[in-house]
Amino acid sequence: MAEHARVVSSQEDPLAATESGIIVPKGDLEDRILTSVVSAVLLEQEYGLRVLINITLESAHQAVVFKRIGVDPIRALMSSDSEVVQMLAAWLLAHLSLNQDNSKAVLESYVTESLIPLLKTSDNKDVLEKALWVVNNLSLNHSHSHILAAKPIVRPKASEDDPDPPNEGWGIIPVLSDMLLSQHPMVVAAAARPLVNLMHKDRCSSYATNQTIFVEAGAAPGQYAGIKKVVSILTRVYPPPPDDVILTLTSLLQVLSIYEDKYRLAIASSGVLSTLTGIISNPDTSEIAKVQALKVLFNLSLTPQTETIILESNGVLPLVLLMGTSYATHAMKRMALNTLAQLLGSDAVQAHLRASSLAKTLTEFLVEKAIPPATAEMIESTAVIIANAAADEYLREELVLAGTVPHILKLTNDVNPQIAEAAAIALSNLEIPVPDNIKAEVATESSRPSLTRTLSTSEALGSHKEPLTIPGVTIMPIQGLPAPAIVPTPAPVMIAEPPAFGAPVTVSRRERVIQELLRTEQTYVQNLALCISVFLTPLVQTTRNPPLLDATKIGQIFLNIQDIYQVHAPFLQELVAQLEKLSTFESFPIGSVLQQFFSEPELAKAYSYYTFHFDAADVVLHEQIERNILFSKYLEKCSEHEHCGRLGLSSFLIQPIQRIPRYILLTNELLKNTPSSHPDHSSLQQALSTIKGVATILNEAKREAEHETKKALFKKTLVGLPVEYDLTSRKLYLEGQLVLLGRTSSSFQQFILLNDVLLVAQKEKRKDALKFSKAIPLNSANIQDLPKDETGQNNFIIAYKKNKRDKQLKVGTPRAPEKEEWMKCIMERILALNR
């Protein structure tokens, strides 16, 4: 078996090494360094810092510059009143810290005394990002990185009059942990990277202590607050987080799952498994992020207690389905095989995979193992899976029917002794006679297009005939909210005649995708029913005075989830009804069914409302969990329901948000595996276009909701705004910080792009406060692009008229994509106003 999965080394991609793109002035290196040092350190000029950043892109220059400038002057600049200077100083220190000797000196210089206050107090994403680059690059010095996580050394006071040094607790780890909750994805990713290094055995000598500090996160032992924090981010963020956030957060979970059984169990029980399988299945997620999620699943499978949790969370079948998808790469299949080999030692997992495509998938893999070239490890894992699966009489017969035996027989003579041994055990298990009644049952079912047996809606509701019992809470009806109307989910349908006994059964990729769509649809409808019956209905039907939650808050949390259920339950019935008319999945007109379903106006209406209000609902839910102890206990009790798989309410409520992207994934995969000559091909093309149209509507609803939230925040924090620029009737298009460039110095300013005006505001000393500075009317404005200057700044000019006078602002950003987005949005508004 393979060793525990490991995190990709951050050393392969050190941060900040190639970010500035600054043009270096010509001249002798020593002269340029000395000139820049004087300018940057003595005069605090931005230009000098930028030149030094560019010079230190070359690793050979990092030691020279550090020898000249040292660490203390840079630390002083990191405490400057100018955020631009803070950013540039941190950027320079990040470059210098790539040199191992430099980073050792920086770590031994009490640098956390400068970094921790900066990370705690700054709300500027660019300053935070560059400071986190410093932390990450210091964490790459594996022999000294423990200094970052240690309690700060208390330096002796020069005199009795000096203030006592601050007590920052356990070094940098709690600070990085808090920064995972940042609203800026790039800050989340940048904070997670050094945490991965500091908690890895091969990268930090104090890894075990660091893991304890992170996992406990100031809470009582056994609460695993740090793990819960990571899981909450992965499961709550929508739109889906960018790849770098997915990758770094799954890397955190993966490194925590390497060493301790208790951490594996905590991760498996956290409700993150459905998110991990979603990452694996999403075609828009990068291969490296998918592989990282698979590594987490593999590590979790190493602890026997997690097998049941993985099974109950529907984490097994996606691994089988992944083996048959066209987008699964060699690395993904390798990890999926290793995980299945580990899990299939369980009787429960074996029983779960009866009547699935496991036998056919494994046989096809053995036939096609040269494409892509399978490693010895993958072939051995396949033989182990077959050996373990063959211990189950049903799966043994399915493997025989799928034609597995001849391929296993060949492997018994493989030159690799591990492969030959595993194949010999598999062959021995396959030769054990299967009772005739099981043979007949498997032969009858093997060719039938069927759904995996899952809990029906009626069963889910029937399990709640007795009310939940919670100390101090009596469940009775509330007036004013309707009871959920339930449409029973039909049981799985079995159709078609069996093939001749012993004949290999082949399943096309198109059939597999249709099977996956049907299975996931049934699971989705089931989970909607569970959310309504287990979590919502008891709240609605309580007469407790006062109620556990009032009707308003119930509506704010659950929104219109019953409407979404009412849309999907008949759709599932229609899918099953269509199946009853056919003999195979291959002829199933899934394209026309999907096209009709997604053309229904009620679907877009239900999902638009849910999507628009989802973030606000999530805030209300977590506020109530923190403030209402009885409600929190109620949710814990609900999650322990036998059919909930230990999933909390948040895991159910986010599923409608995740479902539409899943349809795009499956329809894309169907289209890839449906020939253009197939009668369903054109219908699938239309369906994919329609589904993407619905997704666009939902994304727009999401953006509008986010803009309304930000606009409400600006109403509270923006002071001095003239009445003619009142935000109430205006629409927000874009907001963020840009660098306002002056003749001698620069500063970050808040820019707020509305439908007819661009507002500029200065940051006040109070962290969240903004002071109105100027308004740029867009009907008289224009923008002018500027080439990247010698300092590497991405600049452009906003020209406008104010009181019949020509004015202009020169603004910039460290990132070219950010500049392009601002120029595009401003120009769109200018054109819209001048049509």
Side-chain angles (χ1 to χ4, degrees):
M1 296 302 298
E3 295 182 0
H4 298 180
R6 295 289 193 265
V7 181
V8 177
S9 172
S10 296
Q11 245 176 333
E12 297 173 7
D13 185 24
L15 299 177
T18 59
E19 288 286 336
S20 73
I22 296 168
I23 303 168
V24 185
K26 294 181 180 180
D28 180 76
L29 174 63
E30 288 291 327
D31 289 342
R32 282 186 285 134
I33 289 175
L34 290 174
T35 302
S36 298
V37 166
V38 171
S39 128
V41 179
L42 300 182
L43 303 179
E44 292 194 13
Q45 289 185 350
E46 298 164 18
Y47 177 83
L49 281 168
R50 292 182 185 277
V51 172
L52 283 177
I53 290 168
N54 194 56
I55 290 172
T56 53
L57 283 171
E58 295 290 337
S59 57
H61 300 162
Q62 291 160 5
V64 178
V65 171
F66 190 77
K67 182 178 179 181
R68 290 280 185 178
I69 195 170
V71 67
D72 287 341
I74 303 177
R75 288 179 55 182
L77 292 175
M78 287 167 59
S79 301
S80 168
D81 291 335
S82 166
E83 289 182 326
V84 174
V85 173
Q86 289 178 0
M87 176 190 72
L88 295 173
W91 198 339
L92 174 60
L93 188 58
H95 279 198
L96 295 175
S97 298
L98 288 169
N99 177 284
Q100 291 289 292
D101 291 333
N102 292 354
S103 65
K104 177 177 179 291
V106 172
L107 284 164
E108 292 176 345
S109 73
Y110 311 98
V111 71
T112 51
E113 292 178 355
S114 298
L115 285 171
I116 289 176
L118 185 62
L119 294 172
K120 280 187 170 184
T121 59
S122 178
D123 60 352
N124 184 299
K125 68 180 188 298
D126 295 298
V127 173
L128 293 174
E129 183 187 38
K130 303 307 184 290
L132 288 168
W133 286 359
V134 177
V135 178
N136 183 81
N137 292 347
L138 292 174
S139 74
L140 297 176
N141 188 327
H142 301 161
S143 58
H144 294 85
S145 59
H146 63 277
I147 299 173
L148 274 174
K151 281 185 176 179
I153 301 169
V154 178
R155 288 194 274 187
K157 295 192 290 186
S159 70
E160 290 299 323
D161 297 331
D162 286 352
D164 291 329
N167 179 13
E168 297 293 353
W170 280 101
I172 205 81
I173 287 181
V175 182
L176 297 176
S177 176
D178 290 341
M179 296 186 75
L180 295 178
L181 298 176
S182 170
Q183 294 183 358
H184 301 297
M186 68 179 185
V187 173
V188 176
R193 290 187 185 101
L195 281 170
V196 171
N197 292 331
L198 292 171
M199 294 192 292
H200 200 294
K201 183 178 181 179
D202 298 337
R203 304 179 194 176
C204 187
S205 59
S206 60
Y207 78 96
T209 301
N210 298 344
Q211 286 197 358
T212 301
I213 296 167
F214 175 79
V215 169
E216 292 183 358
Q223 295 297 310
Y224 305 114
I227 290 174
K228 291 178 180 177
K229 181 185 295 183
V230 174
V231 170
S232 71
I233 299 164
L234 275 174
T235 55
R236 288 173 57 188
V237 173
Y238 181 82
D243 267 2
D244 57 346
V245 172
I246 294 174
L247 178 60
T248 51
L249 292 183
T250 50
S251 295
L252 267 178
L253 293 181
Q254 189 259 324
V255 78
L256 287 168
S257 65
I258 293 175
Y259 311 109
E260 296 277 356
D261 281 340
K262 62 182 180 181
Y263 294 160
R264 292 183 196 141
L265 190 57
I267 293 168
S269 304
S270 67
V272 76
L273 289 172
S274 60
T275 300
L276 293 177
T277 54
I279 291 169
I280 294 164
S281 304
N282 188 343
D284 295 328
T285 305
S286 68
E287 177 192 352
I288 190 171
K290 289 185 174 76
V291 172
Q292 200 64 42
L294 284 163
K295 287 179 180 180
V296 177
L297 284 174
F298 172 71
N299 284 356
L300 298 182
S301 72
L302 298 174
T303 296
Q305 298 95 312
T306 66
E307 289 175 353
T308 301
I309 303 172
I310 295 172
L311 187 59
E312 290 176 348
S313 301
N314 296 315
V316 177
L317 190 59
L319 298 174
V320 179
L321 297 171
L322 180 70
M323 295 298 300
T325 57
S326 60
Y327 64 79
T329 63
H330 184 274
M332 292 166 61
K333 289 184 177 182
R334 182 177 70 85
M335 289 309 308
L337 283 168
N338 288 343
T339 308
L340 282 170
Q342 188 69 34
L343 290 170
L344 265 163
S346 161
D347 293 343
V349 174
Q350 292 168 8
H352 178 71
L353 290 177
R354 294 171 185 170
S356 71
S357 58
L358 176 67
K360 299 161 191 175
T361 299
L362 293 173
T363 304
E364 287 184 1
F365 179 75
L366 290 177
V367 173
E368 303 171 359
K369 61 180 181 288
I371 309 171
T375 62
E377 176 194 359
M378 294 173 71
I379 298 172
E380 180 191 357
S381 294
T382 305
V384 170
I385 292 170
I386 292 171
N388 288 343
D392 180 88
E393 293 173 334
Y394 288 85
L395 290 177
R396 188 187 317 151
E397 185 64 13
E398 289 175 9
L399 287 163
V400 171
L401 286 175
T404 309
V405 174
H407 303 290
I408 284 293
L409 184 60
K410 289 180 182 178
L411 291 181
T412 58
N413 297 317
D414 197 276
V415 294
N416 185 306
Q418 285 81 17
I419 293 175
E421 181 183 0
I425 296 171
L427 185 63
S428 175
N429 287 350
L430 287 167
E431 290 174 343
I432 298 173
V434 176
D436 289 342
N437 63 318
I438 294 178
K439 279 187 176 182
E441 184 178 345
V442 173
T444 302
E445 294 179 355
S446 59
S447 69
R448 293 176 175 178
S450 61
L451 306 181
T452 301
R453 180 73 176 99
T454 53
L455 176 73
S456 71
T457 305
S458 57
E459 289 172 326
L461 296 174
S463 66
H464 250 302
K465 290 177 182 176
E466 297 298 323
L468 294 174
T469 55
I470 302 173
V473 179
T474 304
I475 307 296
M476 298 297 289
I478 285 180
Q479 298 299 321
L481 279 180
I486 301 303
V487 181
T489 302
V493 177
M494 307 288 187
I495 57 177
E497 293 299 318
F501 178 75
V505 179
T506 59
V507 180
S508 70
R509 294 192 187 279
R510 172 180 158 84
E511 288 183 66
R512 286 181 180 166
V513 180
I514 294 174
Q515 288 175 337
E516 183 177 1
L517 189 149
L518 293 170
R519 289 189 184 100
T520 57
E521 185 66 20
Q522 187 172 25
T523 300
Y524 179 52
V525 172
Q526 169 193 315
N527 286 342
L528 291 174
L530 282 171
C531 184
I532 293 167
S533 61
V534 176
F535 290 90
L536 174 59
T537 300
L539 289 173
V540 173
Q541 294 180 349
T542 183
T543 55
R544 183 181 185 273
N545 193 11
L548 206 58
L549 279 184
D550 61 42
T552 300
K553 285 193 171 54
I554 292 174
Q556 289 173 339
I557 291 171
F558 289 91
L559 302 173
N560 62 329
I561 197 165
Q562 294 181 83
D563 294 339
I564 293 176
Y565 176 82
Q566 294 285 8
V567 167
H568 279 270
F571 174 56
L572 181 58
Q573 288 180 322
E574 174 65 17
L575 289 174
V576 174
Q578 290 280 352
L579 271 176
E580 290 174 342
K581 302 174 185 177
L582 303 169
S583 59
T584 65
F585 274 119
E586 187 62 35
S587 58
F588 188 15
I590 187 66
S592 59
V593 174
L594 288 170
Q595 169 65 12
Q596 181 179 351
F597 177 56
F598 280 93
S599 298
E600 293 290 336
E602 290 302 314
L603 180 141
K605 180 180 177 183
Y607 273 96
S608 293
Y609 181 88
Y610 195 91
T611 302
F612 184 88
H613 294 283
F614 176 75
D615 281 346
D618 196 52
V619 170
V620 174
L621 172 61
H622 285 84
E623 284 178 350
Q624 292 304 309
I625 290 173
E626 292 177 4
R627 298 174 184 176
N628 189 334
I629 296 175
L630 288 178
F631 178 61
S632 179
K633 290 181 178 179
Y634 167 80
L635 294 183
E636 289 177 9
K637 184 74 173 179
C638 290
S639 66
E640 293 169 3
H641 185 279
E642 59 178 323
H643 295 303
C644 285
R646 296 182 177 85
L647 295 179
L649 178 56
S650 292
S651 297
F652 287 98
L653 292 178
I654 199 172
Q655 290 187 27
I657 299 296
Q658 298 169 328
R659 187 60 185 162
I660 300 300
R662 181 75 167 168
Y663 286 119
I664 295 176
L665 154 71
L666 292 170
T667 309
N668 253 324
E669 192 68 18
L670 273 170
L671 196 55
K672 287 179 187 176
N673 293 286
T674 301
S676 57
S677 58
H678 195 288
D680 199 35
H681 189 270
S682 61
S683 296
L684 279 170
Q685 288 179 318
Q686 294 174 16
L688 182 59
S689 176
T690 303
I691 298 169
K692 287 182 176 179
V694 172
T696 300
I697 293 171
L698 301 186
N699 287 335
E700 183 57 36
K702 182 66 181 176
R703 280 192 293 271
E704 189 176 340
E706 291 172 347
H707 286 167
E708 287 298 314
T709 300
K710 289 177 180 176
K711 200 166 76 169
L713 179 63
F714 287 137
K715 286 182 180 180
K716 294 179 181 178
T717 58
L718 182 57
V719 298
L721 182 67
V723 66
E724 62 264 32
Y725 301 123
D726 181 61
L727 302 178
T728 305
S729 60
R730 287 180 164 89
K731 184 176 180 180
L732 175 65
Y733 284 87
L734 190 62
E735 61 82 27
Q737 291 185 345
L738 295 173
V739 179
L740 183 61
L741 297 157
R743 292 183 179 180
T744 58
S745 63
S746 311
S747 63
F748 280 99
Q749 303 275 301
Q750 181 71 38
F751 284 72
I752 304 169
L753 179 62
L754 303 168
N755 49 296
D756 62 341
V757 66
L758 177 63
L759 302 180
V760 184
Q762 297 175 343
K763 294 174 62 177
E764 293 279 76
K765 289 184 179 179
R766 185 166 61 86
K767 189 171 182 178
D768 296 329
L770 296 168
K771 182 180 179 182
F772 171 78
S773 173
K774 55 178 62 70
I776 300 172
L778 296 176
N779 59 0
S780 65
N782 205 346
I783 54 175
Q784 177 187 345
D785 193 8
L786 293 175
K788 183 178 289 188
D789 63 22
E790 64 179 3
T791 69
Q793 186 77 26
N794 299 285
N795 303 330
F796 63 100
I797 289 174
I798 306 172
Y800 63 101
K801 286 185 180 292
K802 193 71 177 285
N803 298 326
K804 298 182 179 181
R805 294 179 62 186
D806 291 331
K807 297 193 174 190
Q808 66 176 33
L809 293 181
K810 185 178 180 182
V811 296
T813 171
R815 297 172 191 80
E818 200 167 46
K819 167 189 168 179
E820 292 170 6
E821 182 183 20
W822 273 101
M823 290 184 65
K824 177 176 177 290
C825 289
I826 293 172
M827 183 54 70
E828 285 176 350
R829 295 313 312 149
I830 292 171
L831 293 175
L833 290 170
N834 288 283
R835 280 177 187 152

